[in-house]
Amino acid sequence: MDDVSPRMPAFHTLWTAPSRARSDHHTVPPWEILTILLSVRSWQRFHGPVRLHTDAHGAHVLDRLGLLDLYSDVDTTLDGIDPGEIDPVVYFTGGKLVALAAERAPVAMLDLDLFLLAPLALAGADFVFAHKEFARGDIYPAVERLPGFDRVAAGVPVRDWAANTAVAVFHDEAHRAAFTDAAMRFMRGNAAPAGLDPVALPAFCEQRLVLVEADRLGLSHAAIVPAVWDPPRREWSGETAGGPFHHTWIRKRLLPHDRTYRARYLLRLVTEVARHYPADLDRLAPIDELTPIVAAATAQARRSAERIRSSSTP
Protein backbone atom coordinates (compact mmCIF):
# COMPACT_ATOMS: atom_id res chain seq x y z
CA MET A 1 0.00 0.00 0.00
CA ASP A 2 1.27 3.51 -0.81
CA ASP A 3 2.45 5.15 2.41
CA VAL A 4 1.14 8.58 1.38
CA SER A 5 -2.43 7.37 0.74
CA PRO A 6 -5.03 7.68 3.50
CA ARG A 7 -5.99 4.36 5.04
CA MET A 8 -9.66 3.37 4.85
CA PRO A 9 -11.26 -0.10 5.06
CA ALA A 10 -13.68 -0.95 2.26
CA PHE A 11 -16.20 -3.66 1.49
CA HIS A 12 -17.67 -5.38 -1.55
CA THR A 13 -21.17 -6.81 -1.71
CA LEU A 14 -22.16 -9.84 -3.76
CA TRP A 15 -25.84 -10.59 -3.16
CA THR A 16 -26.90 -13.39 -5.50
CA ALA A 17 -30.59 -13.47 -4.56
CA PRO A 18 -31.65 -10.96 -7.29
CA SER A 19 -30.17 -12.98 -10.16
CA ARG A 20 -31.25 -16.30 -8.66
CA ALA A 21 -34.81 -14.99 -8.32
CA ARG A 22 -34.81 -14.52 -12.10
CA SER A 23 -32.95 -17.61 -13.29
CA ASP A 24 -32.30 -19.98 -10.37
CA HIS A 25 -28.53 -19.44 -10.60
CA HIS A 26 -25.89 -16.75 -10.48
CA THR A 27 -22.86 -16.40 -12.72
CA VAL A 28 -20.10 -13.80 -12.73
CA PRO A 29 -19.33 -12.54 -16.27
CA PRO A 30 -15.67 -12.48 -17.27
CA TRP A 31 -15.39 -8.69 -17.21
CA GLU A 32 -16.67 -8.66 -13.63
CA ILE A 33 -14.21 -11.37 -12.61
CA LEU A 34 -11.52 -8.97 -13.76
CA THR A 35 -12.98 -5.87 -12.14
CA ILE A 36 -13.50 -7.70 -8.83
CA LEU A 37 -9.81 -8.62 -8.81
CA LEU A 38 -8.74 -5.12 -9.88
CA SER A 39 -11.10 -3.48 -7.41
CA VAL A 40 -9.74 -5.41 -4.44
CA ARG A 41 -6.10 -5.17 -5.43
CA SER A 42 -6.23 -1.45 -6.27
CA TRP A 43 -7.97 -0.59 -3.00
CA GLN A 44 -5.42 -2.67 -1.09
CA ARG A 45 -2.65 -0.91 -2.97
CA PHE A 46 -3.84 2.60 -2.18
CA HIS A 47 -6.02 2.47 0.94
CA GLY A 48 -6.15 -0.84 2.81
CA PRO A 49 -8.16 -4.03 3.32
CA VAL A 50 -11.38 -5.04 1.59
CA ARG A 51 -14.05 -7.23 3.19
CA LEU A 52 -16.76 -9.16 1.39
CA HIS A 53 -20.44 -9.29 2.31
CA THR A 54 -22.18 -12.08 0.42
CA ASP A 55 -24.39 -15.13 0.81
CA ALA A 56 -23.43 -18.81 0.80
CA HIS A 57 -23.99 -19.11 -2.94
CA GLY A 58 -21.88 -16.03 -3.67
CA ALA A 59 -19.06 -17.31 -1.49
CA HIS A 60 -19.16 -20.63 -3.35
CA VAL A 61 -19.06 -18.92 -6.75
CA LEU A 62 -16.09 -16.71 -5.86
CA ASP A 63 -14.26 -19.60 -4.22
CA ARG A 64 -14.71 -21.69 -7.37
CA LEU A 65 -13.30 -18.78 -9.41
CA GLY A 66 -10.28 -18.49 -7.12
CA LEU A 67 -11.19 -15.01 -5.89
CA LEU A 68 -12.45 -15.55 -2.35
CA ASP A 69 -9.04 -15.41 -0.72
CA LEU A 70 -8.51 -11.87 -2.04
CA TYR A 71 -10.58 -10.57 0.86
CA SER A 72 -9.45 -9.85 4.40
CA ASP A 73 -12.77 -11.20 5.70
CA VAL A 74 -15.89 -12.87 4.25
CA ASP A 75 -19.33 -12.48 5.85
CA THR A 76 -22.30 -14.52 4.54
CA THR A 77 -25.04 -12.89 6.61
CA LEU A 78 -26.83 -11.72 3.44
CA ASP A 79 -28.40 -15.18 3.56
CA GLY A 80 -30.50 -13.70 6.36
CA ILE A 81 -32.32 -11.19 4.14
CA ASP A 82 -36.03 -12.05 4.05
CA PRO A 83 -37.24 -11.65 0.43
CA GLY A 84 -40.72 -11.03 1.80
CA GLU A 85 -39.39 -7.88 3.48
CA ILE A 86 -36.77 -6.71 0.96
CA ASP A 87 -37.76 -7.84 -2.52
CA PRO A 88 -34.52 -8.88 -4.30
CA VAL A 89 -35.95 -8.20 -7.76
CA VAL A 90 -37.13 -4.68 -6.96
CA TYR A 91 -34.21 -3.77 -4.67
CA PHE A 92 -31.47 -5.56 -6.59
CA THR A 93 -28.86 -3.30 -4.93
CA GLY A 94 -30.41 -3.69 -1.48
CA GLY A 95 -27.71 -6.10 -0.37
CA LYS A 96 -25.22 -3.22 -0.39
CA LEU A 97 -27.33 -1.33 2.13
CA VAL A 98 -27.81 -4.37 4.36
CA ALA A 99 -24.03 -4.83 4.24
CA LEU A 100 -23.46 -1.16 5.08
CA ALA A 101 -25.80 -1.55 8.05
CA ALA A 102 -23.43 -4.20 9.42
CA GLU A 103 -20.38 -1.92 9.06
CA ARG A 104 -19.11 0.97 11.14
CA ALA A 105 -17.71 4.28 9.93
CA PRO A 106 -15.24 5.20 8.71
CA VAL A 107 -15.74 2.80 5.82
CA ALA A 108 -15.93 2.81 2.03
CA MET A 109 -18.68 1.02 0.09
CA LEU A 110 -17.22 -0.21 -3.19
CA ASP A 111 -18.94 -1.67 -6.26
CA LEU A 112 -17.65 -4.87 -7.84
CA ASP A 113 -17.24 -3.15 -11.22
CA LEU A 114 -15.14 -0.18 -10.07
CA PHE A 115 -11.39 -0.11 -9.52
CA LEU A 116 -8.92 2.62 -8.67
CA LEU A 117 -6.33 4.10 -10.99
CA ALA A 118 -4.92 6.38 -8.32
CA PRO A 119 -5.50 7.12 -4.63
CA LEU A 120 -8.77 8.86 -3.81
CA ALA A 121 -9.00 12.16 -1.96
CA LEU A 122 -11.00 10.64 0.88
CA ALA A 123 -10.95 13.48 3.38
CA GLY A 124 -12.74 16.21 1.43
CA ALA A 125 -16.08 15.92 3.25
CA ASP A 126 -18.07 13.91 5.77
CA PHE A 127 -19.54 11.89 2.88
CA VAL A 128 -17.55 11.36 -0.32
CA PHE A 129 -19.05 9.69 -3.40
CA ALA A 130 -18.24 8.91 -7.03
CA HIS A 131 -20.07 11.69 -8.89
CA LYS A 132 -23.32 13.63 -9.12
CA GLU A 133 -26.26 12.70 -11.34
CA PHE A 134 -29.04 15.04 -12.44
CA ALA A 135 -32.17 13.76 -10.68
CA ARG A 136 -34.55 13.77 -13.60
CA GLY A 137 -36.13 11.41 -16.09
CA ASP A 138 -37.59 7.97 -15.50
CA ILE A 139 -34.77 6.85 -13.21
CA TYR A 140 -35.35 9.81 -10.89
CA PRO A 141 -39.06 10.69 -11.01
CA ALA A 142 -40.61 13.28 -8.71
CA VAL A 143 -40.16 11.88 -5.22
CA GLU A 144 -43.85 12.32 -4.43
CA ARG A 145 -44.55 9.53 -6.94
CA LEU A 146 -42.46 7.02 -4.99
CA PRO A 147 -44.41 4.68 -2.74
CA GLY A 148 -43.00 4.84 0.77
CA PHE A 149 -41.50 8.31 0.31
CA ASP A 150 -43.41 9.61 3.32
CA ARG A 151 -41.71 6.99 5.53
CA VAL A 152 -38.27 8.51 5.22
CA ALA A 153 -38.02 12.02 3.81
CA ALA A 154 -40.67 14.07 5.59
CA GLY A 155 -39.44 17.49 6.67
CA VAL A 156 -36.15 17.49 4.75
CA PRO A 157 -35.93 18.90 1.20
CA VAL A 158 -34.74 16.36 -1.38
CA ARG A 159 -31.99 17.72 -3.61
CA ASP A 160 -32.42 17.89 -7.37
CA TRP A 161 -29.36 15.72 -7.90
CA ALA A 162 -28.32 12.26 -6.75
CA ALA A 163 -25.06 10.83 -5.44
CA ASN A 164 -23.67 7.95 -7.46
CA THR A 165 -22.44 5.52 -4.81
CA ALA A 166 -20.31 3.16 -6.92
CA VAL A 167 -17.73 4.25 -4.38
CA ALA A 168 -19.03 5.93 -1.25
CA VAL A 169 -17.00 6.90 1.80
CA PHE A 170 -18.78 7.32 5.12
CA HIS A 171 -16.68 9.20 7.66
CA ASP A 172 -19.52 9.89 10.07
CA GLU A 173 -21.02 6.99 12.04
CA ALA A 174 -24.28 8.85 12.71
CA HIS A 175 -24.74 9.30 8.96
CA ARG A 176 -24.05 5.66 8.19
CA ALA A 177 -26.54 4.56 10.85
CA ALA A 178 -29.24 7.08 9.92
CA PHE A 179 -28.97 6.29 6.21
CA THR A 180 -29.15 2.53 6.61
CA ASP A 181 -32.03 2.82 9.10
CA ALA A 182 -33.95 4.98 6.63
CA ALA A 183 -33.10 2.63 3.75
CA MET A 184 -34.43 -0.37 5.67
CA ARG A 185 -37.66 1.50 6.47
CA PHE A 186 -38.07 2.43 2.82
CA MET A 187 -37.39 -1.04 1.37
CA ARG A 188 -39.31 -3.24 3.80
CA GLY A 189 -42.58 -4.34 2.24
CA ASN A 190 -42.37 -1.51 -0.31
CA ALA A 191 -42.18 -3.30 -3.66
CA ALA A 192 -45.23 -1.93 -5.49
CA PRO A 193 -44.15 -0.96 -9.05
CA ALA A 194 -46.46 2.11 -9.13
CA GLY A 195 -45.92 2.48 -12.88
CA LEU A 196 -42.28 3.49 -12.40
CA ASP A 197 -39.03 2.59 -14.10
CA PRO A 198 -37.60 -0.58 -12.44
CA VAL A 199 -34.59 1.43 -11.28
CA ALA A 200 -36.58 4.26 -9.67
CA LEU A 201 -37.09 2.74 -6.21
CA PRO A 202 -33.54 1.41 -5.67
CA ALA A 203 -32.05 4.60 -7.17
CA PHE A 204 -33.92 6.78 -4.69
CA CYS A 205 -33.12 4.47 -1.80
CA GLU A 206 -29.40 4.27 -2.49
CA GLN A 207 -28.50 7.54 -4.21
CA ARG A 208 -30.89 10.24 -2.97
CA LEU A 209 -31.82 9.08 0.52
CA VAL A 210 -28.13 9.11 1.46
CA LEU A 211 -28.12 12.88 0.81
CA VAL A 212 -31.37 13.41 2.71
CA GLU A 213 -29.79 11.92 5.81
CA ALA A 214 -26.54 13.86 5.36
CA ASP A 215 -28.54 17.09 5.11
CA ARG A 216 -30.67 16.13 8.10
CA LEU A 217 -27.46 15.84 10.14
CA GLY A 218 -25.88 18.98 8.68
CA LEU A 219 -22.96 17.06 7.16
CA SER A 220 -20.81 18.01 4.20
CA HIS A 221 -20.61 15.93 1.02
CA ALA A 222 -18.37 16.00 -2.06
CA ALA A 223 -18.04 14.19 -5.39
CA ILE A 224 -14.76 12.60 -6.44
CA VAL A 225 -15.32 13.31 -10.15
CA PRO A 226 -16.55 16.86 -10.90
CA ALA A 227 -18.55 15.92 -14.01
CA VAL A 228 -22.30 15.28 -13.66
CA TRP A 229 -24.10 12.39 -15.37
CA ASP A 230 -27.39 13.14 -17.14
CA PRO A 231 -29.45 9.90 -17.11
CA PRO A 232 -32.09 10.86 -19.74
CA ARG A 233 -29.43 12.00 -22.21
CA ARG A 234 -26.88 9.36 -21.18
CA GLU A 235 -24.06 11.88 -21.34
CA TRP A 236 -21.70 13.77 -19.08
CA SER A 237 -21.74 17.46 -18.27
CA GLY A 238 -18.20 18.49 -17.47
CA GLU A 239 -14.74 16.98 -17.69
CA THR A 240 -14.29 13.27 -16.97
CA ALA A 241 -10.74 12.73 -18.26
CA GLY A 242 -8.12 11.82 -15.70
CA GLY A 243 -10.49 10.50 -13.06
CA PRO A 244 -8.96 8.35 -10.31
CA PHE A 245 -11.15 5.29 -10.96
CA HIS A 246 -12.58 3.14 -13.75
CA HIS A 247 -16.22 2.02 -13.69
CA THR A 248 -17.67 -0.60 -16.06
CA TRP A 249 -21.37 0.23 -15.62
CA ILE A 250 -21.95 2.28 -18.77
CA ARG A 251 -20.51 -0.55 -20.90
CA LYS A 252 -22.75 -3.31 -19.54
CA ARG A 253 -25.36 -2.95 -22.28
CA LEU A 254 -22.77 -3.74 -24.95
CA LEU A 255 -20.54 -6.31 -23.29
CA PRO A 256 -22.90 -9.33 -23.35
CA HIS A 257 -23.83 -8.85 -27.02
CA ASP A 258 -20.86 -7.37 -28.90
CA ARG A 259 -18.13 -10.02 -29.01
CA THR A 260 -15.55 -7.75 -30.65
CA TYR A 261 -16.08 -5.00 -28.10
CA ARG A 262 -16.01 -7.54 -25.27
CA ALA A 263 -12.71 -9.02 -26.46
CA ARG A 264 -11.10 -5.56 -26.61
CA TYR A 265 -12.41 -4.64 -23.19
CA LEU A 266 -11.27 -7.89 -21.60
CA LEU A 267 -7.80 -7.40 -23.07
CA ARG A 268 -7.72 -3.89 -21.61
CA LEU A 269 -8.58 -5.23 -18.15
CA VAL A 270 -6.18 -8.17 -18.33
CA THR A 271 -3.43 -5.77 -19.42
CA GLU A 272 -4.18 -3.70 -16.31
CA VAL A 273 -3.76 -6.82 -14.18
CA ALA A 274 -0.52 -7.71 -15.96
CA ARG A 275 0.87 -4.23 -15.46
CA HIS A 276 0.14 -3.84 -11.76
CA TYR A 277 -0.69 -7.26 -10.31
CA PRO A 278 1.09 -9.83 -12.52
CA ALA A 279 1.09 -12.53 -9.84
CA ASP A 280 -2.70 -12.65 -10.16
CA LEU A 281 -2.63 -13.70 -13.82
CA ASP A 282 -2.42 -17.30 -12.64
CA ARG A 283 -5.89 -16.88 -11.10
CA LEU A 284 -7.33 -15.87 -14.45
CA ALA A 285 -5.63 -18.28 -16.85
CA PRO A 286 -7.93 -21.28 -16.06
CA ILE A 287 -11.09 -19.29 -16.92
CA ASP A 288 -12.05 -20.35 -20.45
CA GLU A 289 -12.86 -16.98 -22.03
CA LEU A 290 -9.86 -15.37 -20.35
CA THR A 291 -7.27 -18.07 -21.11
CA PRO A 292 -6.22 -16.78 -24.59
CA ILE A 293 -6.38 -13.15 -23.43
CA VAL A 294 -4.15 -13.86 -20.45
CA ALA A 295 -1.73 -15.65 -22.76
CA ALA A 296 -1.68 -12.68 -25.16
CA ALA A 297 -1.19 -10.16 -22.34
CA THR A 298 1.56 -12.29 -20.79
CA ALA A 299 3.38 -12.54 -24.13
CA GLN A 300 3.03 -8.80 -24.67
CA ALA A 301 4.43 -8.09 -21.21
CA ARG A 302 7.33 -10.45 -21.86
CA ARG A 303 8.16 -8.72 -25.15
CA SER A 304 8.03 -5.32 -23.46
CA ALA A 305 10.36 -6.50 -20.71
CA GLU A 306 12.78 -7.90 -23.30
CA ARG A 307 12.79 -4.60 -25.20
CA ILE A 308 13.54 -2.72 -22.00
CA ARG A 309 16.39 -5.10 -21.15
CA SER A 310 17.79 -4.86 -24.69
CA SER A 311 17.70 -1.06 -24.68
CA SER A 312 19.47 -0.91 -21.33
CA THR A 313 22.21 -3.36 -22.32
CA PRO A 314 25.46 -1.51 -23.23
Side-chain angles (χ1 to χ4, degrees):
M1 186 179 67
D2 292 5
D3 293 337
V4 297
S5 304
R7 186 172 179 82
M8 172 71 65
F11 70 90
H12 271 168
T13 305
L14 177 60
W15 187 34
T16 66
S19 60
R20 289 188 291 120
R22 296 183 178 96
S23 63
D24 296 326
H25 68 284
H26 177 89
T27 59
V28 181
W31 54 87
E32 194 158 280
I33 293 171
L34 289 165
T35 57
I36 287 171
L37 189 152
L38 287 165
S39 185
V40 175
R41 286 303 194 213
S42 61
W43 194 272
Q44 290 170 340
R45 175 186 177 192
F46 294 121
H47 297 299
V50 183
R51 296 186 286 270
L52 175 67
H53 290 267
T54 187
D55 44 42
H57 186 76
H60 173 73
V61 169
L62 291 191
D63 190 36
R64 183 170 49 82
L65 291 170
L67 300 177
L68 199 62
D69 67 333
L70 292 171
Y71 295 96
S72 62
D73 183 56
V74 178
D75 189 325
T76 58
T77 54
L78 297 188
D79 278 319
I81 298 176
D82 181 351
E85 288 193 347
I86 299 175
D87 188 310
V89 175
V90 174
Y91 295 102
F92 50 90
T93 62
K96 291 172 60 177
L97 306 183
V98 174
L100 180 61
E103 290 284 343
R104 292 294 179 271
V107 69
M109 184 168 69
L110 190 61
D111 275 6
L112 301 175
D113 62 349
L114 181 145
F115 61 88
L116 304 188
L117 304 171
L120 300 184
L122 300 178
D126 298 309
F127 171 56
V128 179
F129 56 93
H131 60 81
K132 293 181 178 181
E133 298 189 2
F134 292 122
R136 57 194 183 204
D138 293 340
I139 292 175
Y140 297 112
V143 292
E144 294 79 9
R145 294 181 57 200
L146 300 172
F149 166 70
D150 57 339
R151 301 180 182 185
V152 293
V156 180
V158 179
R159 291 178 177 268
D160 60 1
W161 53 271
N164 184 288
T165 53
V167 55
V169 180
F170 295 83
H171 288 284
D172 189 274
E173 172 59 17
H175 181 215
R176 183 211 59 80
F179 168 47
T180 54
D181 286 350
M184 296 306 120
R185 289 198 308 274
F186 184 79
M187 290 190 292
R188 285 193 180 106
N190 185 29
L196 300 171
D197 186 284
V199 180
L201 288 175
F204 170 78
C205 187
E206 182 180 341
Q207 304 198 153
R208 302 191 76 184
L209 191 53
V210 68
L211 297 170
V212 170
E213 294 305 320
D215 289 340
R216 194 191 303 276
L217 293 166
L219 300 175
S220 60
H221 34 73
I224 295 167
V225 174
V228 182
W229 177 252
D230 188 331
R233 295 183 178 180
R234 294 187 62 78
E235 64 184 22
W236 292 97
S237 173
E239 180 57 52
T240 61
F245 59 76
H246 175 85
H247 192 195
T248 305
W249 68 276
I250 200 171
R251 299 163 176 82
K252 287 184 177 178
R253 291 187 179 186
L254 281 175
L255 286 167
H257 311 294
D258 188 328
R259 296 184 65 179
T260 301
Y261 181 79
R262 182 168 70 245
R264 289 201 303 267
Y265 188 64
L266 293 177
L267 178 59
R268 173 184 177 182
L269 296 181
V270 170
T271 301
E272 184 79 10
V273 175
R275 181 181 299 122
H276 296 293
Y277 318 104
D280 285 313
L281 289 173
D282 288 343
R283 297 177 185 268
L284 305 174
I287 299 168
D288 288 345
E289 189 169 356
L290 298 181
T291 300
I293 300 173
V294 170
T298 302
Q300 183 179 26
R302 188 181 301 114
R303 288 193 296 270
S304 297
E306 290 172 354
R307 283 196 298 271
I308 292 171
R309 284 196 297 269
S310 298
S311 64
S312 61
T313 300

